[in-house]
Amino acid sequence: MTEILRHYLHYSFHSLTKYDYMAIGWILFLAFLLIVLALLIRKRILAYFLLFLGLFLLFAGPPAIKFVMDGYLRAVKLEIEKIKPLRYSRALIVEGTLQNRGKIDYSSCDLVLSVYRPDTFMKRAAAFFKPSKVKIVRYGRPLERKESKPFRIIVDHFNNRSDFNVTVQARCYP
């Protein structure tokens, strides 16, 4: 879990563009403006509402902007075509295609593969936060707009021979 969190934070700060900085700056300016207005207004209910709205924008605004910009500027479609555990070796091979659907070109992408067992709902939720196997692969080839490229991930020391689920996420950098 710590590896995924560390990688996500690195990705979040590494993938910011000038549009992200402008949007986050605008949200923070608006949040501080609402907080200052809340301090200057005499009516208590309106002041509390503006203070709540300002604090909400201050804490929830930057992650929301990052989420929206990732869906618009850095949209990636990832399709898994084949998942094959090798019979005589402790390895798993995952093959698929990566397509840039965003508005900018990417210089590189990181592919995060997680393997977990499909159990009951509660165990699946726990496995989402702590998968049995995590592999992060640097996909170093540039990916231009509307372009698709194949990928292949090989997971060594794969011990899970029973039923398992695989998820792959792509995090791309401009």
Side-chain angles (χ1 to χ4, degrees):
M1 178 65 184
T2 57
E3 181 183 356
I4 293 175
L5 183 62
R6 181 176 46 87
H7 187 266
Y8 179 74
L9 289 175
H10 179 266
Y11 159 75
S12 294
F13 290 115
H14 186 68
S15 67
L16 292 177
T17 62
K18 64 181 176 182
Y19 305 111
D20 292 312
Y21 289 122
M22 289 187 322
I24 290 172
W26 179 249
I27 288 291
L28 292 177
F29 171 74
L30 190 60
F32 285 122
L33 183 67
L34 286 174
I35 291 172
V36 168
L37 277 175
L39 295 174
L40 296 177
I41 290 184
R42 300 267 184 219
K43 293 188 179 184
R44 196 178 276 182
I45 291 191
L46 185 59
Y48 285 146
F49 176 71
L50 288 176
L51 182 66
F52 172 74
L53 192 61
L55 290 175
F56 181 75
L57 274 177
L58 185 65
F59 291 109
I65 288 293
K66 178 75 171 127
F67 179 74
V68 169
M69 296 297 260
D70 277 350
Y72 180 71
L73 278 181
R74 289 178 288 276
V76 174
K77 182 180 178 187
L78 193 134
E79 291 182 16
I80 298 175
E81 295 169 357
K82 184 165 72 169
I83 301 171
K84 183 177 181 182
L86 296 181
R87 214 177 256 180
Y88 301 108
S89 173
R90 292 181 3 190
L92 174 73
I93 297 175
V94 178
E95 294 178 351
T97 58
L98 184 66
Q99 181 183 14
N100 183 354
R101 288 192 167 181
K103 307 293 183 204
I104 56 177
D105 296 337
Y106 303 132
S107 61
S108 67
C109 291
D110 288 346
L111 300 175
V112 180
L113 180 129
S114 302
V115 178
Y116 56 92
R117 281 190 277 183
D119 290 327
T120 63
F121 176 74
M122 292 301 287
K123 288 185 180 179
R124 268 185 289 166
F128 176 75
F129 292 110
K130 187 168 177 31
S132 61
K133 189 77 172 173
V134 174
K135 174 119 183 191
I136 300 172
V137 177
R138 171 69 62 152
Y139 187 77
R141 295 184 230 163
L143 194 63
E144 296 177 2
R145 283 178 247 161
K146 308 290 186 215
E147 185 180 16
S148 290
K149 288 192 178 177
F151 70 88
R152 184 178 193 177
I153 302 173
I154 299 173
V155 179
D156 294 328
H157 307 295
F158 181 71
N159 296 328
N160 196 357
R161 295 289 176 203
S162 62
D163 195 20
F164 60 91
N165 285 347
V166 174
T167 61
V168 181
Q169 297 175 343
R171 298 177 180 152
C172 295
Y173 307 110

